[in-house]
């Protein structure tokens, strides 16, 4: 499933659909990005912002009142904004009209100011929709984890929901923007630091190319210890199973 930086939330919705419909008893959801293959090596401004990463969760069918339950979801998209974040070349259009593309068209491009405005608006609206569906007020949210795009976007969305900064889950300052992998990586990192407790009400929201966006409300489960992402002495796969 391809939904750019919203991919984890889109995948979460697909997994929940498979579980609630009875098509699956358990789902392994993996979100991964390799931005290093899309960045112009001469563009130092973009190269320092993005990182490669992957995160995974395991979901099982359960009850709504169980710790780990995914309580509400919201997804959205607007294809009219497809040119705001894109890699113009490398796909079917280039293969059908190769003369229209050059070597630089295979690199990532983004219209930052417009993306900022769309991201803040869409994530805020989506988060409010999910809160309403979950019957939560903003003050009920124990932890807020947004796609780790940049600190200004995270702060702006948090202010508009509103969720105070001390309840935000962030690690962008250490790992950069890892696209669809950013939310599971941030959650695993917060779990490893003891910032997430069983029963915490967690709000997720994301925005990405397409344009795509989505949010989820869930209750944090009881989990075994997770290795710290920056623990270089004992590297290990990062997993954050949700019930």
């Amino acid at each position: 499933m391809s939904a750019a930086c919203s991919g984890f939330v889109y995948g979460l919705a697909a997994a929940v659909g498979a579980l609630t419909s009875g098509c699956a008893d358990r789902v392994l959801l993996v979100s991964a990005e390799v931005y290093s293959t899309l960045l112009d090596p001469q563009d130092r401004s973009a190269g320092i912002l993005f990182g490669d990463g992957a995160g995974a969760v395991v979901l099982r069918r359960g009850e709504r009142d169980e710790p780990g339950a995914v309580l509400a979801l919201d997804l959205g998209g607007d294809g009219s904004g497809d040119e705001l974040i894109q890699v113009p070349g490398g796909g079917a259009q280039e293969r059908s009209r190769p003369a229209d593309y050059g070597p630089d068209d295979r690199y990532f491009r983004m219209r930052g100011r417009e993306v900022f405005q769309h991201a803040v608006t869409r994530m805020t609206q989506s988060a409010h929709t999910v809160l309403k569906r979950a019957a939560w007020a903003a003050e009920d949210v124990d932890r807020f984890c947004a796609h780790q795009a940049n600190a200004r976007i995270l702060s702006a969305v948090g202010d508009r929901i509103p969720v105070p900064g001390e309840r935000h889950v962030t690690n962008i300052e250490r790992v950069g923007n890892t696209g669809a992998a950013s939310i599971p990586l941030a959650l695993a990192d917060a779990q490893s630091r003891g910032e997430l407790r069983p029963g915490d009400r967690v709000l997720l929201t994301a925005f990405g190319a397409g344009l795509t966006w989505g949010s989820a409300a869930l209750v944090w489960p009881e989990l075994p210890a997770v290795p710290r992402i920056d623990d270089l002495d004992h590297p290990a796969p990062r997993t954050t199973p949700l019930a």
Side-chain angles (χ1 to χ4, degrees):
M1 177 180 294
S2 178
C5 297
S6 305
F8 177 76
V9 178
Y10 268 68
L12 185 62
V16 169
L19 293 169
T20 56
S21 68
C23 292
D25 293 321
R26 283 177 170 77
V27 175
L28 171 64
L29 170 61
V30 181
S31 292
E33 296 280 10
V34 189
Y35 270 121
S36 58
T37 64
L38 303 176
L39 298 175
D40 184 347
Q42 304 303 317
D43 183 1
R44 296 175 62 85
S45 63
I48 62 173
L49 301 177
F50 295 92
D52 298 340
V57 300
V58 176
L59 300 102
R60 64 167 174 82
R61 193 181 307 149
E63 301 298 328
R64 186 174 177 85
D65 59 354
E66 286 186 72
V70 179
L71 301 179
L73 291 153
D74 175 67
L75 301 178
D78 180 2
S80 67
D82 64 309
E83 294 184 353
L84 296 183
I85 311 170
Q86 64 171 334
V87 178
Q93 289 188 4
E94 181 181 354
R95 290 193 294 273
S96 63
R97 302 194 310 272
D100 294 345
Y101 296 86
D104 290 344
D105 289 323
R106 297 197 175 192
Y107 294 130
F108 175 89
R109 296 178 185 174
M110 179 172 65
R111 285 155 41 185
R113 181 172 298 180
E114 294 170 79
V115 168
F116 179 91
Q117 295 171 345
H118 278 280
V120 172
T121 299
R122 301 298 193 179
M123 284 198 286
T124 301
Q125 292 173 342
S126 182
H128 282 147
T129 296
V130 156
L131 289 175
K132 184 176 180 179
R133 291 176 179 171
W136 291 355
E139 55 266 27
D140 293 329
V141 175
D142 297 304
R143 288 293 172 185
F144 170 59
C145 184
H147 161 55
Q148 306 287 291
N150 68 52
R152 289 178 57 239
I153 290 177
L154 301 183
S155 178
V157 175
D159 288 345
R160 286 163 174 76
I161 293 176
V163 178
E166 62 269 19
R167 298 184 188 179
H168 293 197
V169 172
T170 62
N171 67 352
I172 187 173
E173 72 282 357
R174 293 186 295 118
V175 302
N177 180 343
T178 55
S182 75
I183 288 179
L185 283 174
L187 290 174
D189 201 9
Q191 170 73 13
S192 74
R193 297 195 303 268
E195 295 178 2
L196 285 165
R197 298 168 299 178
D200 276 354
R201 289 159 293 194
V202 181
L203 174 64
L204 312 178
T205 191
F207 175 87
L211 300 172
T212 59
W213 58 88
S215 299
L218 57 92
V219 179
W220 196 251
E222 185 170 356
L223 298 174
V226 177
R228 293 177 65 94
I229 286 178
D230 55 357
D231 186 354
L232 300 181
D233 293 330
H234 303 284
R238 279 32 172 184
T239 60
T240 305
L242 304 175

